[in-house]
Amino acid sequence: MGGASEFTAVILASANDGDNLHPLTEHLPPALLPVANRPLISFQLELLERAGSFQRVLVLTIERWLTLLSTYVSEEYKGPL
């Protein structure tokens, strides 16, 4: 095995339905809630980029938020991961 670049980073984007943040999470997953005008998950992705050790990221979520998170990662996130 080679270096750390062979590993996949994992972001646990939503382990539950976000009940603790209701009503903020009524229409958005917790990972997409804005913090300083950016989705929370963007900070995690940026930190993983800076680490420079990962080429892939696996974002885990519940089925309810799959489409919204997939759309964000594929259409709005412009980073190298």
Side-chain angles (χ1 to χ4, degrees), residues 26-80:
E26 189 171 341
H27 300 290
L28 276 178
L32 291 181
L33 289 176
V35 175
N37 296 320
R38 291 174 42 193
L40 183 59
I41 195 171
S42 72
F43 293 96
Q44 295 167 306
L45 291 167
E46 183 180 306
L47 287 172
L48 289 170
E49 288 172 24
R50 286 186 198 170
S53 300
F54 301 99
Q55 295 177 347
R56 295 180 303 185
V57 177
L58 178 63
V59 179
L60 299 177
T61 189
I62 59 173
E63 187 174 356
R64 175 181 178 193
W65 302 126
L66 181 60
T67 302
L68 286 172
L69 283 166
S70 294
T71 300
Y72 172 77
V73 171
S74 64
E75 295 178 12
E76 294 183 40
Y77 171 69
K78 303 297 181 198

